[in-house]
Structures are given as structure tokens and as C-alpha cells.
Amino acid sequence: RLRRRRPTPPASDDESDLGWMPNAARIRCTDRDSLAAALRWYACSKFTRGDRKYIDTYPWDDRNSDVDPRVFQAFVWAGGRPQ
């Protein structure tokens, strides 16, 4: 089960330099299946009605990746706190 957390400000100036974003999510997954489910949930939760219409209308095309709503950025790390 995924729990939503309120965003917290960076703990140090070093984290501020990393471009902290208040609308980011940190989710801990203990195995590949939970990681796949969390990424799918997170990506799909961001789609607007217009995004869903675009996805239903157009097949994936690498040449359109700059405008396709299916493209998003994720950072994945293993163990402990990210460096």
C-alpha cells in the first residue's frame, strides 16, 4: 500500500542545490514488482484527461518523446539515502 507524504523542505543547503521540488514523490519499494507497480501508479496518476486522450489516439513514437505525456523523469537508487 502506498502512503502519500507531505513534501518536506530540504534538510541542508546541499539538497537545495540539487533542485528540490515540492511536487516530487519518494517511494520505497522492497522488490521489482513493487517498483514496477509504484512507477505505473505514479505515472498514471499524473495523466490529465487530455493526456489520456493523446495516449489513446497516438501510438508510441520515439520522435515525439518531447511532447508525449508518457515520458517522465524518475530517479531510482538502491539502499540507504541517495548521495
Side-chain angles (χ1 to χ4, degrees), residues 27-77:
I27 302 170
R28 180 179 174 153
C29 301
T30 57
D31 58 36
R32 289 181 188 207
D33 290 339
S34 62
L35 174 61
L39 288 173
R40 187 171 290 118
W41 166 82
Y42 182 74
C44 292
S45 71
K46 298 296 181 182
F47 293 144
T48 65
R49 181 176 292 171
D51 292 339
R52 291 190 297 273
K53 183 176 180 180
Y54 181 95
I55 291 166
D56 289 342
T57 304
Y58 301 102
W60 175 256
D61 186 340
D62 287 340
R63 295 170 292 180
N64 293 333
S65 63
D66 57 333
V67 297
D68 196 304
R70 290 169 278 208
V71 176
F72 71 98
Q73 188 173 32
F75 297 95
V76 178
W77 61 90

